[in-house]
Amino acid sequence: MSIIQNITQMKNQIARAAEKAGRDVNDIRLIAVSKTVNAARVQEAVDAGICDLGENRVQELMDKYPLVEGARWHLIGHLQTNKVKYIVGKVALVHSLDRWSLALELDKRAREAGVVIPVLVQVNVAGEETKFGLAVPEVRDFVTEAAALTGISIEGLMTIAPLVENPEEVRPVFRELKRISEGLKDIPGVRMEQLSMGMSNDFAVAIEEGATMIRIGTAIFGSRK
Ligand SMILES: *Cc1c(COP(=O)(O)O)cnc(C)c1O
């Protein structure tokens, strides 16, 4: 299938999942994950109505940034502190704030540039050793302290669920992220309106559990080599 057909099908599936959950489809943002996809194909997706693109590596984002027109960029992968300087002013949202040193660097670079960088705090809900993200018990203190940094604005949480065959298996992971976010809404200066969760294999379940952003690569661009 073509990218355009994939996007049409994806939008239909998002609408169906939203309806099933009794949610407004406009509250769910589709982020097309364009890692490993060349700029021409990414532009095809944007021309077909994609407004948000996600990359997990800074270098790749930087390479495509000047070549693709008409979309917002999201940094969804692990971010090295020495790369922060390259993305300030280019990225609409950093989904992967996962440690204090990164919070400080984002804050510093943002203030130097006179901007505020919107971020999501990445939580390793399932406690997988191979994944980045804060452990669940660390989240509240982290968010409380990060909320005092004026260069970043905390918009919500992000998680990557374990890769499973049946997406029902990760429903508790999504439900837990939502529960954690509800419990943080009393912290002053924190918005907690966004939940970035759900990928090609599990987005429908994530939407049912409250995702406001889903990150879709394979189902739009095909499988990566
Ligand atoms: C690659 C990636 C995705 C998209 O994965 P698909 O299974 O191809 O939809 C989503 N989120 C992150 C953080 C990724 O690195």
Side-chain angles (χ1 to χ4, degrees), residues 10 31-35 54-56 75-78 95-96 122 158-160 163 196 198-203 214-224:
M10 180 54 58
I31 298 171
V33 177
S34 51
K35 63 190 185 200
E55 287 283 344
N56 64 342
L75 202 282
I76 61 172
H78 185 65
H95 292 230
S96 45
Q122 182 173 353
M158 177 271 224
T159 199
I160 304 173
L163 189 60
S196 170
M199 313 190 347
S200 292
N201 61 320
D202 56 19
F203 69 89
I214 57 171
R215 311 177 307 266
I216 307 294
T218 312
I220 289 176
F221 295 109
S223 57
R224 295 176 292 271

Side-chain angles (χ1 to χ4, degrees), residues 47-68:
D47 293 343
I50 291 292
C51 303
D52 293 272
L53 298 168
E55 287 283 344
N56 64 342
R57 291 176 55 240
V58 170
Q59 186 58 54
E60 201 178 338
L61 190 153
M62 297 291 292
D63 290 345
K64 286 175 215 173
Y65 185 83
L67 303 175
V68 178

